[in-house]
Amino acid sequence: MRDPLRPADPPRAEVLAYGALAAPLAFGGLPLYIHAPDFYAADLGVGLAALGVVLAALRAVDAVQDPLVGWAGDRWPHARPAMMVTGAVALVAGVAGLFAPLGLPLLVWFALMMVLASLGHSLISVNLMTYGGVWRDAPAAKARISGFREGFGLAGLILAVSLPAGLAVVVGRQASLLALAFALAVGMMICLPMFLRWLRGASFDLRAMPDSASVSLRSFGPFYGVAGLVLLSAAFPAALILMLVRDLLGAEELAGIFLLAYFIAALPGAALASHLAGRIGAVTVWTGALTLSVVGFASALALGQGTVGLFFVICLLTGLTFGADLVLPPAILSARIGDTGSAGIATRAHAGLAFLTKAALALAGAIALPLLAQAGFRPAEQNPEQALDALRWLYAGLPLVLRVLAIALLINFHRKGRI
């Protein structure tokens, strides 16, 4: 009979205490890049091109910020809990401030609050993934830990999507987004102490970073390349979905339902991916999930006015595969860290993945929004056909190409033993 306490099977109560923090953390991740740009463009009147420039600048900040967070965690591993507490304060303040602009010009305020929220998110997410990655050695355990963490993250995303949609019709959009910030603060006050209590009783291989650590990071290059393409392919739809639903489908009142369907479908997708990864390997499962997602993006090229049913099916299909995209890359990276004996730079390695996630979201906005503006697209207004074509191809066509390239690279690198 299997011993539930052996390294391959971390106890369920401990996995829950570890992973629950991902739920409030999700409030400062993807929803910011879904709600914030559209809120500033459609509600506050900020130009799309200007927002794209700011998002590109934020990507440059992340390029410095995330590696620094990773370096600090590896340099002073015992300071990680304090970093996470600091990150919680910064994340709550940044999200609240983002939807309550005060005094400064809107673009300046948007940039400052996004930087503050992004820094807080990095301080928590990078260290959270690191603890999960070095907690257990067995590949099946890594997939299970990642699955629980991302499952909580999806639950947070579902709440972050449904709360503003449900409240907006009663109190208005801005007040509903501020309610999101309040829910974030409450979630952090509940889940962070729970995590810290778990942390005091857990044991890890957390060593200070060796002087030669930077050399070891080169072995993660193929993984980062594939993960970056996948994350970028997901970032374009994330940045454009509200515009697509409102301005292409003509179904703005259904936006919350579409987002809920997407994230709810991701829950069984994450669970199934975690289960299959422990049996047939994370890379094999990820390859299959990416291939299935290509079908969804190809179908999205047929979207137009009134194609609500088709888009609902696409949301379910791509949401299912999104669950695999959440669970499998951190598990693959953790396994790679173990295979290369790189526990001393684990935080830097996970910081690289966190940077790619935020960089993809920022880069998608920096590319898509100016291109839409150039095509004559105006959010929440009547648009010419060429502008709607640009929206459709940026939402589905470009991600489709990126996913096909990612699949080819993943198969090639895996055959060569580099992932």
Side-chain angles (χ1 to χ4, degrees):
M1 183 176 180
R2 174 180 285 187
D3 179 4
L5 297 179
R6 69 179 182 172
D9 293 299
R12 180 180 294 268
E14 293 187 20
V15 178
L16 292 175
Y18 159 77
L21 184 58
L25 181 63
F27 280 62
L30 191 63
L32 282 181
Y33 289 89
I34 292 177
H35 291 300
D38 189 70
F39 171 69
Y40 273 75
D43 291 53
L44 301 183
V46 179
L48 289 178
L51 281 172
V53 170
V54 171
L55 288 171
L58 291 173
R59 177 175 174 262
V61 172
D62 283 337
V64 177
Q65 169 185 287
D66 285 345
L68 279 178
V69 170
W71 176 86
D74 287 326
R75 192 73 179 88
W76 301 289
H78 297 295
R80 286 189 178 103
M83 294 180 191
M84 297 177 75
V85 173
T86 303
V89 175
L91 181 59
V92 171
V95 172
L98 189 62
F99 298 118
L102 299 172
L104 296 175
L106 287 175
L107 270 177
V108 175
W109 184 266
F110 175 80
L112 289 176
M113 292 302 102
M114 286 291 282
V115 167
L116 184 61
S118 177
L119 174 60
H121 191 273
S122 290
L123 287 169
I124 301 172
S125 63
V126 169
N127 288 295
L128 183 66
M129 286 194 294
T130 300
Y131 281 122
V134 299
W135 184 17
R136 290 293 192 273
D137 292 332
K142 292 183 184 300
R144 182 167 180 253
I145 292 166
S146 179
F148 268 90
R149 182 185 63 236
E150 301 308 329
F152 275 108
L154 283 169
L157 284 173
I158 290 169
L159 180 58
V161 165
S162 59
L163 185 63
L167 289 178
V169 296
V170 179
V171 298
R173 191 180 191 192
Q174 185 173 16
S176 71
L177 292 172
L178 287 173
L180 187 73
F182 177 76
L184 165 63
V186 173
M188 280 294 173
M189 287 189 290
I190 294 172
C191 296
L192 186 57
M194 184 190 310
F195 173 85
L196 294 175
R197 283 195 298 271
W198 163 81
L199 189 59
R200 286 194 291 269
S203 59
F204 312 92
D205 178 18
L206 294 175
R207 295 164 291 180
M209 179 181 64
D211 294 336
S212 60
S214 59
V215 178
S216 301
L217 288 173
R218 297 174 185 172
S219 64
F220 304 128
F223 165 79
Y224 287 145
V226 173
L229 288 172
V230 173
L231 289 165
L232 186 59
S233 71
F236 280 98
L240 301 175
I241 184 170
L242 295 182
M243 298 177 190
L244 181 104
V245 172
R246 180 184 58 228
D247 301 304
L248 180 64
L249 302 185
E252 183 177 7
E253 70 281 359
L254 298 177
I257 294 176
F258 288 135
L259 287 169
L260 277 176
Y262 178 80
F263 289 121
I264 289 174
L267 283 169
L272 180 62
S274 176
H275 174 74
L276 292 177
R279 292 178 174 271
I280 62 177
V283 174
T284 301
V285 177
W286 198 23
T287 303
L290 289 173
T291 303
L292 184 60
S293 72
V294 167
V295 177
F297 283 109
S299 302
L301 292 174
L303 291 172
Q305 188 75 20
T307 54
V308 171
L310 174 61
F311 189 60
F312 185 77
V313 173
I314 290 171
C315 287
L316 293 176
L317 177 61
T318 55
L320 187 71
T321 60
F322 175 64
D325 290 343
L326 285 175
V327 170
L328 298 177
I332 293 170
L333 178 58
S334 295
R336 188 69 182 174
I337 290 171
D339 292 342
T340 56
S342 305
I345 55 167
T347 315
R348 295 177 74 194
H350 285 289
L353 184 58
F355 163 71
L356 288 176
T357 302
K358 291 191 297 182
L361 289 165
L363 184 59
I367 294 173
L369 298 184
L371 286 177
L372 284 177
Q374 188 175 6
F377 178 83
R378 297 292 182 269
E381 296 181 12
Q382 201 68 25
N383 286 285
E385 191 59 34
Q386 67 176 24
L388 296 178
D389 282 339
L391 177 61
R392 185 186 297 109
W393 280 95
L394 286 168
Y395 180 90
L398 183 54
L400 174 64
V401 173
L402 293 172
R403 293 236 158 187
V404 170
L405 179 58
I407 292 168
L409 289 176
L410 181 60
I411 293 173
N412 181 56
F413 287 138
H414 186 52
R415 284 177 177 172
K416 293 180 178 179
R418 300 180 67 188
I419 292 183

